[in-house]
């Protein structure tokens, strides 16, 4: 793995290379030997194509362009029993120690600073209003002149009491009521069960409330409370609302909007109270 070659390509690649050519050169440098600068493996490997973001046809076009610009040299062509070998050319670093910097000599150590106003021997060009030897020009803050906000008795004007609420604090809205993690749509069901004397846990968190909300929309709160009351009479050890979920799911849905109530048909015969039989022979068999 050519770590040194990767750094060399990143810092000293020719300026004429395109982004695609430089990226492929970095991938080849990662596979090459640091000393010989020759690639080890095939350039058609999926890792090379994926790292350079090239197809097989684009790969050879970019390799041809790199060879034309002198960045790589093809040593051997690919054969049945061998892979093609490419050698990375010696790249000339753009910032070699022997090449002087192209910056202007205004900041060199031997060149004096051109801003004479900041030199130690040159006085500041600002006015002497803020010099230590000059008094402050704002007489209202001098020690010999009393503050305008001070009375004749030289007693400072007292500040407003810190206990008095400010205007911003008085206009602050009241904090919202704590919902304890219960959705607003499920709160009527929780309150209805509590008023019915059914005090259970509600162990639902986050998305766990979705089945409860869907059952409220399907069956309605009155039917759910009625079923929970009957179940609580049969089992007094219920401590969680999850106990009612299966029964709530089997309740009938609410009627469609606008559905009329079916008319009741009157029974033709009226109810009559029971009367003892007048024929005593019915008791002969021991009934």
């Amino acid at each position: 793995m050519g770590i040194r070659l990767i750094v060399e390509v990143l810092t000293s690649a020719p300026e004429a290379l395109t982004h695609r050519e430089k990226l492929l050169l970095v991938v080849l440098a990662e596979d090459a030997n640091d000393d010989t600068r020759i690639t080890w493996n095939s350039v058609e490997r999926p890792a090379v194509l994926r790292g350079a973001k090239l197809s097989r046809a684009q790969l050879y076009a970019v390799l041809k362009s790199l060879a034309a610009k002198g960045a790589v040299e093809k040593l051997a062509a690919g054969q049945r029993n061998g892979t093609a070998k490419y050698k990375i050319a010696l790249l000339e670093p753009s910032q070699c120690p022997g090449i002087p910097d192209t910056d202007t000599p205004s900041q060199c150590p031997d060149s004096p600073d051109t801003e004479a106003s900041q030199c130690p021997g040159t006085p500041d060009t600002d006015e002497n209003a803020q010099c230590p030897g000059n008094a402050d020009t704002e007489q209202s803050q001098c020690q010999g002149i009393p503050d305008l906000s001070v009375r004749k008795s030289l007693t400072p004007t007292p500040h407003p009491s810190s206990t008095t609420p400010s205007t911003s604090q008085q206009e602050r809205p009241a904090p919202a009521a704590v919902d304890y993690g219960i959705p607003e749509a499920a709160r009527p069901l929780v309150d209805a069960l509590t008023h019915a004397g059914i005090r259970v846990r509600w162990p639902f968190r986050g998305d766990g409330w979705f089945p409860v909300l869907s059952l409220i929309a399907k069956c309605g709160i009155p039917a759910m409370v009625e079923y929970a009351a009957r179940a609580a009479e049969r089992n007094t050890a219920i401590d969680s609302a999850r106990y009612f979920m299966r029964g709530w799911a089997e309740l009938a849905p609410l009627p469609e909007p606008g559905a009329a109530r079916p008319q009741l048909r009157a029974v033709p015969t009226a109810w009559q109270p029971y009367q003892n039989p007048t024929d005593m022979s019915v008791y002969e068999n021991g009934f």
Side-chain angles (χ1 to χ4, degrees), residues 183-246:
E184 184 178 357
R187 194 57 190 257
L189 174 64
V190 177
D191 295 342
L193 289 180
T194 303
H195 288 313
I198 306 172
R199 302 180 181 275
V200 293
R201 296 182 298 106
W202 295 87
F204 306 103
R205 298 292 182 271
D207 297 345
W209 283 98
F210 287 163
V212 180
L213 299 179
S214 63
L215 289 174
I216 292 176
K218 170 196 169 187
C219 308
I221 294 178
M224 297 173 70
V225 174
E226 181 181 356
Y227 171 81
R230 293 197 306 267
E233 291 179 357
R234 295 191 302 268
N235 186 0
T236 58
I238 300 175
D239 66 337
S240 174
R242 292 186 185 275
Y243 181 86
F244 307 120
M245 293 297 293
R246 178 176 297 181

Short mmCIF file of all heavy atoms in Angstrom, two decimals, residues 183-246:
data_model
loop_
_atom_site.label_atom_id
_atom_site.label_comp_id
_atom_site.label_asym_id
_atom_site.label_seq_id
_atom_site.Cartn_x
_atom_site.Cartn_y
_atom_site.Cartn_z
N PRO A 183 -51.95 11.59 25.17
CA PRO A 183 -52.40 12.43 24.06
C PRO A 183 -53.71 13.13 24.38
O PRO A 183 -54.52 12.67 25.19
CB PRO A 183 -52.55 11.44 22.90
CG PRO A 183 -51.72 10.25 23.28
CD PRO A 183 -51.78 10.18 24.77
N GLU A 184 -53.90 14.25 23.73
CA GLU A 184 -55.11 15.03 23.98
C GLU A 184 -56.37 14.27 23.59
O GLU A 184 -57.40 14.37 24.25
CB GLU A 184 -55.03 16.34 23.20
CG GLU A 184 -56.19 17.29 23.45
CD GLU A 184 -56.04 18.59 22.69
OE1 GLU A 184 -55.01 18.77 22.03
OE2 GLU A 184 -56.98 19.42 22.75
N ALA A 185 -56.30 13.47 22.52
CA ALA A 185 -57.47 12.73 22.07
C ALA A 185 -57.81 11.57 23.00
O ALA A 185 -58.96 11.10 23.02
CB ALA A 185 -57.25 12.20 20.64
N ALA A 186 -56.82 11.07 23.77
CA ALA A 186 -57.07 9.95 24.68
C ALA A 186 -57.43 10.42 26.09
O ALA A 186 -57.83 9.60 26.91
CB ALA A 186 -55.84 9.04 24.74
N ARG A 187 -57.28 11.71 26.37
CA ARG A 187 -57.55 12.19 27.73
C ARG A 187 -59.01 12.00 28.16
O ARG A 187 -59.27 11.65 29.31
CB ARG A 187 -57.13 13.66 27.84
CG ARG A 187 -57.06 14.15 29.27
CD ARG A 187 -56.09 13.29 30.03
NE ARG A 187 -56.10 13.53 31.45
CZ ARG A 187 -55.16 14.23 32.10
NH1 ARG A 187 -54.16 14.74 31.41
NH2 ARG A 187 -55.22 14.40 33.39
N PRO A 188 -60.01 12.20 27.27
CA PRO A 188 -61.40 11.94 27.71
C PRO A 188 -61.64 10.50 28.13
O PRO A 188 -62.39 10.26 29.09
CB PRO A 188 -62.23 12.32 26.47
CG PRO A 188 -61.38 13.29 25.72
CD PRO A 188 -59.97 12.84 25.93
N LEU A 189 -61.02 9.53 27.47
CA LEU A 189 -61.18 8.14 27.88
C LEU A 189 -60.56 7.89 29.24
O LEU A 189 -61.16 7.21 30.10
CB LEU A 189 -60.56 7.22 26.83
CG LEU A 189 -60.52 5.73 27.17
CD1 LEU A 189 -61.94 5.18 27.29
CD2 LEU A 189 -59.74 4.94 26.12
N VAL A 190 -59.37 8.42 29.47
CA VAL A 190 -58.71 8.24 30.76
C VAL A 190 -59.54 8.87 31.88
O VAL A 190 -59.74 8.26 32.94
CB VAL A 190 -57.29 8.84 30.71
CG1 VAL A 190 -56.61 8.73 32.07
CG2 VAL A 190 -56.45 8.14 29.64
N ASP A 191 -60.05 10.07 31.64
CA ASP A 191 -60.85 10.74 32.67
C ASP A 191 -62.17 10.00 32.92
O ASP A 191 -62.62 9.89 34.06
CB ASP A 191 -61.14 12.18 32.25
CG ASP A 191 -59.87 13.02 32.18
OD1 ASP A 191 -58.86 12.59 32.77
OD2 ASP A 191 -59.89 14.08 31.52
N ALA A 192 -62.78 9.46 31.84
CA ALA A 192 -64.06 8.75 32.02
C ALA A 192 -63.87 7.48 32.84
O ALA A 192 -64.70 7.16 33.72
CB ALA A 192 -64.67 8.42 30.65
N LEU A 193 -62.80 6.73 32.60
CA LEU A 193 -62.55 5.54 33.40
C LEU A 193 -62.24 5.90 34.85
O LEU A 193 -62.65 5.20 35.78
CB LEU A 193 -61.38 4.74 32.79
CG LEU A 193 -61.66 4.02 31.47
CD1 LEU A 193 -60.41 3.29 31.00
CD2 LEU A 193 -62.81 3.05 31.62
N THR A 194 -61.52 6.98 35.06
CA THR A 194 -61.21 7.40 36.43
C THR A 194 -62.48 7.79 37.18
O THR A 194 -62.66 7.42 38.34
CB THR A 194 -60.21 8.57 36.41
OG1 THR A 194 -59.04 8.17 35.68
CG2 THR A 194 -59.82 8.96 37.81
N HIS A 195 -63.37 8.54 36.51
CA HIS A 195 -64.64 8.92 37.15
C HIS A 195 -65.51 7.70 37.40
O HIS A 195 -66.32 7.70 38.35
CB HIS A 195 -65.40 9.92 36.28
CG HIS A 195 -64.77 11.28 36.25
ND1 HIS A 195 -64.35 11.95 37.39
CD2 HIS A 195 -64.47 12.10 35.21
CE1 HIS A 195 -63.84 13.12 37.07
NE2 HIS A 195 -63.88 13.24 35.75
N ALA A 196 -65.38 6.65 36.62
CA ALA A 196 -66.16 5.43 36.83
C ALA A 196 -65.56 4.55 37.92
O ALA A 196 -66.10 3.46 38.18
CB ALA A 196 -66.26 4.63 35.52
N GLY A 197 -64.49 4.99 38.54
CA GLY A 197 -63.87 4.22 39.61
C GLY A 197 -62.88 3.18 39.14
O GLY A 197 -62.43 2.36 39.94
N ILE A 198 -62.52 3.21 37.86
CA ILE A 198 -61.57 2.23 37.31
C ILE A 198 -60.21 2.94 37.23
O ILE A 198 -59.93 3.67 36.28
CB ILE A 198 -62.03 1.74 35.92
CG1 ILE A 198 -63.46 1.19 36.00
CG2 ILE A 198 -61.08 0.69 35.38
CD1 ILE A 198 -64.05 0.85 34.65
N ARG A 199 -59.40 2.73 38.21
CA ARG A 199 -58.09 3.37 38.29
C ARG A 199 -57.03 2.34 37.92
O ARG A 199 -56.73 1.46 38.72
CB ARG A 199 -57.85 3.94 39.68
CG ARG A 199 -58.92 4.95 40.11
CD ARG A 199 -58.65 5.50 41.49
NE ARG A 199 -59.68 6.43 41.89
CZ ARG A 199 -59.68 7.73 41.58
NH1 ARG A 199 -58.66 8.22 40.87
NH2 ARG A 199 -60.66 8.52 41.97
N VAL A 200 -56.54 2.46 36.71
CA VAL A 200 -55.55 1.51 36.19
C VAL A 200 -54.35 2.29 35.66
O VAL A 200 -54.40 3.52 35.49
CB VAL A 200 -56.15 0.64 35.07
CG1 VAL A 200 -57.21 -0.29 35.60
CG2 VAL A 200 -56.71 1.52 33.95
N ARG A 201 -53.29 1.55 35.39
CA ARG A 201 -52.10 2.15 34.79
C ARG A 201 -52.31 2.30 33.28
O ARG A 201 -53.01 1.51 32.66
CB ARG A 201 -50.86 1.28 35.04
CG ARG A 201 -50.49 1.16 36.51
CD ARG A 201 -49.23 0.33 36.69
NE ARG A 201 -49.40 -1.04 36.22
CZ ARG A 201 -48.87 -1.53 35.09
NH1 ARG A 201 -48.14 -0.75 34.29
NH2 ARG A 201 -49.06 -2.80 34.75
N TRP A 202 -51.65 3.30 32.71
CA TRP A 202 -51.66 3.52 31.26
C TRP A 202 -50.22 3.43 30.77
O TRP A 202 -49.54 4.44 30.61
CB TRP A 202 -52.29 4.87 30.93
CG TRP A 202 -53.73 4.94 31.30
CD1 TRP A 202 -54.25 5.29 32.50
CD2 TRP A 202 -54.84 4.62 30.46
NE1 TRP A 202 -55.62 5.22 32.48
CE2 TRP A 202 -56.02 4.82 31.22
CE3 TRP A 202 -54.97 4.21 29.14
CZ2 TRP A 202 -57.28 4.60 30.71
CZ3 TRP A 202 -56.24 4.00 28.62
CH2 TRP A 202 -57.39 4.19 29.39
N PRO A 203 -49.72 2.21 30.53
CA PRO A 203 -48.30 2.02 30.22
C PRO A 203 -47.95 2.25 28.75
O PRO A 203 -47.10 1.57 28.20
CB PRO A 203 -48.05 0.56 30.62
CG PRO A 203 -49.34 -0.11 30.32
CD PRO A 203 -50.42 0.90 30.59
N PHE A 204 -48.63 3.18 28.09
CA PHE A 204 -48.38 3.43 26.67
C PHE A 204 -47.42 4.61 26.55
O PHE A 204 -47.54 5.61 27.26
CB PHE A 204 -49.68 3.73 25.93
CG PHE A 204 -50.73 2.68 26.12
CD1 PHE A 204 -51.80 2.89 26.99
CD2 PHE A 204 -50.66 1.48 25.45
CE1 PHE A 204 -52.77 1.94 27.17
CE2 PHE A 204 -51.63 0.51 25.63
CZ PHE A 204 -52.68 0.73 26.49
N ARG A 205 -46.49 4.51 25.62
CA ARG A 205 -45.50 5.55 25.40
C ARG A 205 -45.37 5.80 23.90
O ARG A 205 -45.25 4.86 23.12
CB ARG A 205 -44.13 5.16 25.95
CG ARG A 205 -44.09 4.94 27.45
CD ARG A 205 -44.30 6.25 28.22
NE ARG A 205 -44.21 6.06 29.65
CZ ARG A 205 -45.24 5.75 30.42
NH1 ARG A 205 -46.44 5.58 29.86
NH2 ARG A 205 -45.08 5.58 31.72
N GLY A 206 -45.41 7.06 23.51
CA GLY A 206 -45.17 7.41 22.12
C GLY A 206 -46.14 6.76 21.16
O GLY A 206 -47.37 6.94 21.23
N ASP A 207 -45.62 5.95 20.22
CA ASP A 207 -46.45 5.30 19.22
C ASP A 207 -47.39 4.26 19.84
O ASP A 207 -48.31 3.80 19.15
CB ASP A 207 -45.58 4.63 18.16
CG ASP A 207 -44.74 5.63 17.41
OD1 ASP A 207 -45.05 6.83 17.51
OD2 ASP A 207 -43.78 5.22 16.72
N GLY A 208 -47.14 3.85 21.08
CA GLY A 208 -48.01 2.87 21.70
C GLY A 208 -49.43 3.36 21.93
O GLY A 208 -50.33 2.55 22.18
N TRP A 209 -49.67 4.68 21.82
CA TRP A 209 -51.01 5.23 21.98
C TRP A 209 -51.85 5.09 20.70
O TRP A 209 -53.06 5.30 20.74
CB TRP A 209 -50.95 6.70 22.39
CG TRP A 209 -50.61 6.91 23.82
CD1 TRP A 209 -49.40 7.20 24.36
CD2 TRP A 209 -51.52 6.85 24.93
NE1 TRP A 209 -49.48 7.31 25.72
CE2 TRP A 209 -50.77 7.11 26.10
CE3 TRP A 209 -52.89 6.58 25.06
CZ2 TRP A 209 -51.34 7.12 27.36
CZ3 TRP A 209 -53.46 6.60 26.32
CH2 TRP A 209 -52.70 6.87 27.45
N PHE A 210 -51.22 4.79 19.57
CA PHE A 210 -51.96 4.73 18.31
C PHE A 210 -53.09 3.70 18.34
O PHE A 210 -54.20 4.00 17.87
CB PHE A 210 -51.01 4.43 17.15
CG PHE A 210 -50.13 5.60 16.80
CD1 PHE A 210 -48.99 5.43 16.04
CD2 PHE A 210 -50.44 6.87 17.24
CE1 PHE A 210 -48.18 6.50 15.72
CE2 PHE A 210 -49.64 7.95 16.94
CZ PHE A 210 -48.51 7.77 16.17
N PRO A 211 -52.90 2.46 18.85
CA PRO A 211 -54.05 1.53 18.91
C PRO A 211 -55.19 2.05 19.78
O PRO A 211 -56.37 1.84 19.45
CB PRO A 211 -53.43 0.25 19.50
CG PRO A 211 -51.97 0.34 19.17
CD PRO A 211 -51.64 1.78 19.24
N VAL A 212 -54.87 2.73 20.87
CA VAL A 212 -55.94 3.27 21.74
C VAL A 212 -56.72 4.35 21.00
O VAL A 212 -57.95 4.39 21.04
CB VAL A 212 -55.32 3.82 23.04
CG1 VAL A 212 -56.41 4.38 23.94
CG2 VAL A 212 -54.55 2.72 23.77
N LEU A 213 -56.00 5.24 20.29
CA LEU A 213 -56.67 6.31 19.56
C LEU A 213 -57.53 5.75 18.42
O LEU A 213 -58.63 6.26 18.16
CB LEU A 213 -55.63 7.28 19.00
CG LEU A 213 -54.75 7.99 20.04
CD1 LEU A 213 -53.74 8.90 19.36
CD2 LEU A 213 -55.60 8.80 21.01
N SER A 214 -57.06 4.70 17.77
CA SER A 214 -57.86 4.11 16.70
C SER A 214 -59.12 3.44 17.26
O SER A 214 -60.19 3.48 16.63
CB SER A 214 -57.03 3.09 15.92
OG SER A 214 -56.62 2.01 16.75
N LEU A 215 -59.03 2.82 18.44
CA LEU A 215 -60.21 2.22 19.05
C LEU A 215 -61.21 3.28 19.50
O LEU A 215 -62.42 3.07 19.42
CB LEU A 215 -59.79 1.36 20.24
CG LEU A 215 -59.06 0.05 19.90
CD1 LEU A 215 -58.56 -0.63 21.17
CD2 LEU A 215 -59.98 -0.88 19.12
N ILE A 216 -60.72 4.43 19.95
CA ILE A 216 -61.62 5.52 20.32
C ILE A 216 -62.39 6.00 19.10
O ILE A 216 -63.60 6.24 19.16
CB ILE A 216 -60.82 6.67 20.96
CG1 ILE A 216 -60.25 6.24 22.32
CG2 ILE A 216 -61.68 7.91 21.13
CD1 ILE A 216 -59.36 7.28 22.97
N ALA A 217 -61.68 6.13 17.97
CA ALA A 217 -62.36 6.57 16.75
C ALA A 217 -63.32 5.50 16.22
O ALA A 217 -64.33 5.83 15.59
CB ALA A 217 -61.31 6.92 15.68
N LYS A 218 -63.02 4.22 16.47
CA LYS A 218 -63.87 3.15 15.94
C LYS A 218 -65.09 2.90 16.81
O LYS A 218 -66.23 2.82 16.29
CB LYS A 218 -63.04 1.87 15.84
CG LYS A 218 -63.88 0.63 15.52
CD LYS A 218 -63.12 -0.65 15.83
CE LYS A 218 -64.02 -1.86 15.76
NZ LYS A 218 -63.36 -3.09 16.19
N CYS A 219 -64.91 2.76 18.13
CA CYS A 219 -65.99 2.30 19.00
C CYS A 219 -66.64 3.43 19.78
O CYS A 219 -67.79 3.31 20.19
CB CYS A 219 -65.47 1.24 19.97
SG CYS A 219 -64.60 -0.12 19.17
N GLY A 220 -65.91 4.50 20.07
CA GLY A 220 -66.45 5.55 20.90
C GLY A 220 -66.13 5.33 22.37
O GLY A 220 -66.02 4.20 22.85
N ILE A 221 -65.97 6.42 23.10
CA ILE A 221 -65.59 6.35 24.51
C ILE A 221 -66.68 5.72 25.37
O ILE A 221 -66.39 4.92 26.26
CB ILE A 221 -65.19 7.75 25.01
CG1 ILE A 221 -63.91 8.21 24.31
CG2 ILE A 221 -65.00 7.76 26.52
CD1 ILE A 221 -63.45 9.59 24.70
N PRO A 222 -67.98 6.03 25.18
CA PRO A 222 -69.01 5.40 26.06
C PRO A 222 -68.99 3.88 26.00
O PRO A 222 -69.09 3.21 27.04
CB PRO A 222 -70.32 5.99 25.52
CG PRO A 222 -69.93 7.29 24.89
CD PRO A 222 -68.59 7.05 24.30
N ALA A 223 -68.89 3.29 24.81
CA ALA A 223 -68.86 1.83 24.72
C ALA A 223 -67.63 1.25 25.38
O ALA A 223 -67.68 0.19 26.03
CB ALA A 223 -68.93 1.41 23.25
N MET A 224 -66.49 1.93 25.25
CA MET A 224 -65.27 1.42 25.87
C MET A 224 -65.34 1.49 27.39
O MET A 224 -64.89 0.58 28.10
CB MET A 224 -64.07 2.22 25.35
CG MET A 224 -63.86 2.08 23.84
SD MET A 224 -62.58 3.18 23.18
CE MET A 224 -61.12 2.44 23.89
N VAL A 225 -65.92 2.56 27.93
CA VAL A 225 -66.07 2.68 29.38
C VAL A 225 -67.04 1.64 29.90
O VAL A 225 -66.82 1.02 30.96
CB VAL A 225 -66.51 4.11 29.75
CG1 VAL A 225 -66.81 4.21 31.23
CG2 VAL A 225 -65.45 5.12 29.35
N GLU A 226 -68.14 1.40 29.17
CA GLU A 226 -69.12 0.40 29.60
C GLU A 226 -68.50 -1.00 29.65
O GLU A 226 -68.72 -1.75 30.60
CB GLU A 226 -70.31 0.42 28.65
CG GLU A 226 -71.42 -0.57 29.03
CD GLU A 226 -72.56 -0.53 28.04
OE1 GLU A 226 -72.52 0.32 27.12
OE2 GLU A 226 -73.49 -1.35 28.18
N TYR A 227 -67.70 -1.34 28.63
CA TYR A 227 -67.07 -2.65 28.63
C TYR A 227 -66.05 -2.76 29.76
O TYR A 227 -65.97 -3.79 30.45
CB TYR A 227 -66.36 -2.89 27.30
CG TYR A 227 -65.49 -4.13 27.30
CD1 TYR A 227 -66.06 -5.38 27.11
CD2 TYR A 227 -64.12 -4.04 27.54
CE1 TYR A 227 -65.28 -6.53 27.14
CE2 TYR A 227 -63.34 -5.18 27.57
CZ TYR A 227 -63.91 -6.42 27.38
OH TYR A 227 -63.14 -7.55 27.41
N ALA A 228 -65.27 -1.70 30.00
CA ALA A 228 -64.28 -1.74 31.07
C ALA A 228 -64.93 -1.88 32.43
O ALA A 228 -64.41 -2.56 33.32
CB ALA A 228 -63.41 -0.48 31.00
N ALA A 229 -66.10 -1.25 32.62
CA ALA A 229 -66.79 -1.36 33.91
C ALA A 229 -67.26 -2.80 34.14
O ALA A 229 -67.14 -3.33 35.25
CB ALA A 229 -67.97 -0.39 33.94
N ARG A 230 -67.81 -3.47 33.10
CA ARG A 230 -68.24 -4.86 33.27
C ARG A 230 -67.04 -5.77 33.53
O ARG A 230 -67.12 -6.69 34.36
CB ARG A 230 -68.99 -5.32 32.02
CG ARG A 230 -70.31 -4.62 31.80
CD ARG A 230 -71.17 -5.39 30.81
NE ARG A 230 -70.46 -5.66 29.57
CZ ARG A 230 -70.52 -4.88 28.49
NH1 ARG A 230 -71.26 -3.77 28.53
NH2 ARG A 230 -69.85 -5.18 27.40
N ALA A 231 -65.92 -5.53 32.84
CA ALA A 231 -64.74 -6.36 33.06
C ALA A 231 -64.16 -6.15 34.45
O ALA A 231 -63.67 -7.10 35.08
CB ALA A 231 -63.69 -6.06 31.99
N ALA A 232 -64.21 -4.91 34.96
CA ALA A 232 -63.69 -4.65 36.30
C ALA A 232 -64.55 -5.29 37.37
O ALA A 232 -64.05 -5.62 38.45
CB ALA A 232 -63.59 -3.14 36.51
N GLU A 233 -65.86 -5.47 37.13
CA GLU A 233 -66.71 -6.15 38.10
C GLU A 233 -66.37 -7.63 38.19
O GLU A 233 -66.42 -8.23 39.27
CB GLU A 233 -68.18 -5.97 37.71
CG GLU A 233 -68.70 -4.55 37.87
CD GLU A 233 -70.15 -4.43 37.44
OE1 GLU A 233 -70.70 -5.46 36.98
OE2 GLU A 233 -70.72 -3.33 37.55
N ARG A 234 -65.99 -8.24 37.05
CA ARG A 234 -65.64 -9.66 37.05
C ARG A 234 -64.24 -9.90 37.61
O ARG A 234 -63.99 -10.92 38.24
CB ARG A 234 -65.74 -10.22 35.63
CG ARG A 234 -67.15 -10.21 35.05
CD ARG A 234 -67.19 -11.01 33.76
NE ARG A 234 -66.27 -10.49 32.78
CZ ARG A 234 -66.58 -9.60 31.85
NH1 ARG A 234 -67.81 -9.11 31.80
NH2 ARG A 234 -65.68 -9.20 30.97
N ASN A 235 -63.33 -8.98 37.37
CA ASN A 235 -61.94 -9.14 37.81
C ASN A 235 -61.51 -7.88 38.51
O ASN A 235 -61.30 -6.83 37.88
CB ASN A 235 -61.04 -9.43 36.60
CG ASN A 235 -59.62 -9.77 37.01
OD1 ASN A 235 -59.28 -9.79 38.20
ND2 ASN A 235 -58.77 -10.02 36.04
N THR A 236 -61.38 -7.94 39.81
CA THR A 236 -61.00 -6.76 40.59
C THR A 236 -59.50 -6.56 40.66
O THR A 236 -59.04 -5.58 41.26
CB THR A 236 -61.56 -6.89 42.01
OG1 THR A 236 -61.04 -8.10 42.62
CG2 THR A 236 -63.08 -6.93 42.00
N ALA A 237 -58.72 -7.48 40.08
CA ALA A 237 -57.27 -7.37 40.14
C ALA A 237 -56.68 -6.70 38.90
O ALA A 237 -55.46 -6.77 38.68
CB ALA A 237 -56.64 -8.76 40.31
N ILE A 238 -57.49 -6.06 38.09
CA ILE A 238 -56.98 -5.38 36.89
C ILE A 238 -56.20 -4.15 37.31
O ILE A 238 -56.70 -3.31 38.06
CB ILE A 238 -58.14 -5.00 35.95
CG1 ILE A 238 -58.92 -6.25 35.52
CG2 ILE A 238 -57.62 -4.25 34.74
CD1 ILE A 238 -60.15 -5.93 34.71
N ASP A 239 -54.95 -4.03 36.83
CA ASP A 239 -54.14 -2.87 37.20
C ASP A 239 -53.59 -2.14 35.98
O ASP A 239 -52.90 -1.13 36.14
CB ASP A 239 -52.97 -3.30 38.08
CG ASP A 239 -51.98 -4.18 37.32
OD1 ASP A 239 -52.40 -4.80 36.33
OD2 ASP A 239 -50.80 -4.22 37.73
N SER A 240 -53.87 -2.60 34.78
CA SER A 240 -53.33 -1.96 33.57
C SER A 240 -54.42 -1.86 32.53
O SER A 240 -55.28 -2.75 32.40
CB SER A 240 -52.15 -2.76 33.01
OG SER A 240 -51.71 -2.22 31.77
N ALA A 241 -54.40 -0.78 31.75
CA ALA A 241 -55.39 -0.59 30.69
C ALA A 241 -55.17 -1.56 29.53
O ALA A 241 -56.06 -1.72 28.70
CB ALA A 241 -55.35 0.85 30.18
N ARG A 242 -54.01 -2.20 29.47
CA ARG A 242 -53.78 -3.19 28.41
C ARG A 242 -54.75 -4.38 28.53
O ARG A 242 -54.99 -5.09 27.56
CB ARG A 242 -52.34 -3.70 28.47
CG ARG A 242 -51.30 -2.67 28.09
CD ARG A 242 -49.92 -3.31 28.02
NE ARG A 242 -48.89 -2.33 27.78
CZ ARG A 242 -48.54 -1.90 26.57
NH1 ARG A 242 -49.16 -2.38 25.51
NH2 ARG A 242 -47.59 -1.02 26.42
N TYR A 243 -55.29 -4.61 29.73
CA TYR A 243 -56.22 -5.72 29.93
C TYR A 243 -57.47 -5.55 29.08
O TYR A 243 -58.08 -6.54 28.67
CB TYR A 243 -56.59 -5.80 31.41
CG TYR A 243 -57.53 -6.93 31.76
CD1 TYR A 243 -57.05 -8.21 32.02
CD2 TYR A 243 -58.91 -6.72 31.81
CE1 TYR A 243 -57.91 -9.25 32.33
CE2 TYR A 243 -59.78 -7.75 32.12
CZ TYR A 243 -59.29 -9.01 32.38
OH TYR A 243 -60.14 -10.04 32.69
N PHE A 244 -57.88 -4.30 28.80
CA PHE A 244 -59.12 -4.05 28.07
C PHE A 244 -58.91 -4.03 26.56
O PHE A 244 -59.90 -3.95 25.82
CB PHE A 244 -59.73 -2.71 28.49
CG PHE A 244 -59.91 -2.57 29.97
CD1 PHE A 244 -59.28 -1.55 30.67
CD2 PHE A 244 -60.72 -3.45 30.68
CE1 PHE A 244 -59.44 -1.42 32.03
CE2 PHE A 244 -60.89 -3.32 32.04
CZ PHE A 244 -60.25 -2.31 32.73
N MET A 245 -57.67 -4.05 26.07
CA MET A 245 -57.42 -3.82 24.66
C MET A 245 -58.08 -4.88 23.77
O MET A 245 -58.70 -4.55 22.75
CB MET A 245 -55.91 -3.78 24.38
CG MET A 245 -55.20 -2.59 25.00
SD MET A 245 -55.78 -1.03 24.33
CE MET A 245 -55.21 -1.15 22.64
N ARG A 246 -57.99 -6.16 24.14
CA ARG A 246 -58.58 -7.22 23.31
C ARG A 246 -60.10 -7.08 23.25
O ARG A 246 -60.71 -7.23 22.20
CB ARG A 246 -58.19 -8.58 23.84
CG ARG A 246 -58.80 -9.74 23.06
CD ARG A 246 -58.30 -11.07 23.55
NE ARG A 246 -56.86 -11.22 23.36
CZ ARG A 246 -56.16 -12.30 23.69
NH1 ARG A 246 -56.80 -13.34 24.25
NH2 ARG A 246 -54.87 -12.35 23.49
#
